[in-house]
Amino acid sequence: MKAGFDISPELFDAAAKEDKNAEKIRRPSIRYWPDVWRRLKMNKLAMTGLLLICILGVMSFVGTKLNGFTYFEQNYSLINSHPDSVHWFGTDELGRDLFTRTWFGVRYSLFIGIMAAFIDFFIGVLYGGIAGISGRRIDSVMMRIAEVIYSIPYLLVVILISVVFSQAGQGSSMFVLIFSLSLTSWVPMAILVRGQVLQLKESEYSLASESLGADKGWILKKHIIPNTLGPILVNVTLEIPRAIFAEATLGFIGLGLQAPKSSLGTLANSGLAGLPVGNSYQLFIPAIFISLIMFAFNVLGDGLRDALDPRLRK
């Protein structure tokens, strides 16, 4: 016996015009990097760090020309003059304007830190990528070499190279500092990239490319490295303040940039002598700028790490 259903038109209501798009997907699809930028903008502390970096970068070029004093200009009648309306950051022991010299120091410190981080990025990605994509024997040999290099104390290598060049009469030039800072610091980047490569080379798209005849170099370039950019960018962002702090440490102990160039660490070293005689501003001003740079890059790196983590996506 068939069950009967009494369905009449009176049981239904006509859909209103505003209900026609009720099932429509209203939110547009967002690609990965635009979504990363959207989430980064929601992090106010990270955006503060990014804004501070931009201001410091611009002022390192613009600030050297704002008050009309040059980098080498000396006024022996205003030696150790405290900050005033003419010399905004005061003058040093030779009567030179500290406002101009501080922004030159910011420029040199940023350049050294960014270049050292870029070299770490290039060597680390290349070395770690080759180690991860190669066979087990090559990978083992390459990583043992990296571990031996990494076992050497970082600052000890930098100090030794700076001392060698200083005793040779050449001083610590900018490129000598960049070379010494990058000599061993690329190893953590290489270890990070190797771990990512070992994980991603077993993924479906990598295996599919290999089954279609793609060689390891093509897979590394097209599939693996682009998918490791997130952790790499975070590491680079955090490597810049480490390099700047290491350079500032060398400058503070007298092994940094030599005259006539001065980084923030060198300025702090010069200002140390003025601390007992009441000229503490010569030390505190470059120290404040070092702290600002460290703060800006660290909070930006933390924000990037959160923005690049898909598990924190909202």
Side-chain angles (χ1 to χ4, degrees):
M1 182 176 177
K2 295 182 179 180
F5 296 95
D6 186 11
I7 301 176
S8 61
E10 290 78 10
L11 297 176
F12 299 92
D13 293 328
K17 290 183 178 180
E18 58 269 16
D19 295 333
K20 289 184 177 181
N21 295 325
E23 302 298 327
K24 184 179 180 179
I25 299 176
R26 298 182 181 276
R27 180 180 176 181
S29 59
I30 303 177
R31 301 182 66 181
Y32 178 68
W33 289 107
D35 185 53
V36 169
W37 173 242
R38 180 186 63 83
R39 285 187 282 162
L40 182 63
K41 288 191 295 184
M42 295 171 60
N43 191 326
K44 295 182 179 179
L45 192 59
M47 293 306 295
T48 301
L50 179 60
L51 178 62
L52 189 56
I53 292 170
C54 294
I55 293 174
L56 290 172
V58 172
M59 286 296 295
S60 66
F61 292 92
V62 177
T64 58
K65 300 177 176 63
L66 284 181
N67 62 353
F69 295 99
T70 64
Y71 182 78
F72 300 101
E73 185 176 349
Q74 299 179 7
N75 188 342
Y76 292 109
S77 62
L78 293 175
I79 292 177
N80 293 327
S81 174
H82 285 241
D84 54 28
S85 59
V86 178
H87 297 279
W88 301 334
F89 286 177
T91 60
D92 62 5
E93 71 281 0
L94 297 177
R96 296 172 296 188
D97 181 69
L98 275 180
F99 183 83
T100 302
R101 292 179 62 81
T102 298
W103 288 118
F104 269 104
V106 172
R107 183 192 302 180
Y108 293 137
S109 294
L110 285 175
F111 179 79
I112 291 172
I114 291 173
M115 286 302 298
F118 177 78
I119 294 173
D120 292 347
F121 163 78
F122 181 78
I123 299 176
V125 169
L126 184 63
Y127 193 93
I130 294 174
I133 203 68
S134 302
R136 182 174 298 179
R137 181 173 299 178
I138 297 177
D139 177 37
S140 179
V141 172
M142 292 181 69
M143 295 316 297
R144 297 297 83 75
I145 294 173
E147 288 171 1
V148 170
I149 295 174
Y150 195 54
S151 64
I152 304 173
Y154 173 64
L155 278 178
L156 178 61
V157 174
V158 178
I159 291 173
L160 285 176
I161 294 177
S162 300
V163 168
V164 168
F165 278 91
S166 296
Q167 291 181 348
Q170 300 180 13
S172 296
S173 68
M174 190 178 301
F175 295 102
V176 169
L177 281 172
I178 293 172
F179 168 74
S180 58
L181 289 171
S182 305
L183 195 59
T184 61
S185 58
W186 57 268
V187 178
M189 176 71 76
I191 295 173
L192 172 66
V193 173
R194 171 186 174 266
Q196 294 289 317
V197 171
L198 289 176
Q199 178 182 357
L200 293 175
K201 76 176 184 178
E202 302 297 333
S203 59
E204 292 82 359
Y205 50 85
S206 298
L207 295 175
S209 297
E210 187 176 0
S211 64
L212 292 174
D215 58 17
K216 293 181 178 180
W218 192 91
I219 296 173
L220 182 66
K221 177 182 177 182
K222 294 294 183 179
H223 289 311
I224 297 179
I225 295 301
N227 284 285
T228 61
L229 282 180
I232 290 173
L233 285 176
V234 174
N235 191 278
V236 169
T237 307
L238 296 176
E239 181 60 32
I240 294 174
R242 284 197 291 265
I244 291 175
F245 187 75
E247 186 279 327
T249 302
L250 288 174
F252 190 72
I253 62 178
L255 296 175
L257 287 178
Q258 302 299 314
K261 296 178 180 178
S262 296
S263 65
L264 291 175
T266 308
L267 290 175
N269 178 43
S270 301
L272 185 63
L275 191 61
V277 293
N279 298 324
S280 56
Y281 65 94
Q282 297 179 2
L283 171 64
F284 290 150
I285 289 175
I288 289 172
F289 277 91
I290 293 173
S291 302
L292 286 175
I293 294 174
M294 298 285 292
F295 167 79
F297 277 105
N298 278 305
V299 297
L300 178 60
D302 291 339
L304 270 177
R305 182 177 55 210
D306 295 339
L308 290 164
D309 191 347
R311 294 171 296 181
L312 299 178
R313 182 175 182 180
K314 296 181 181 179

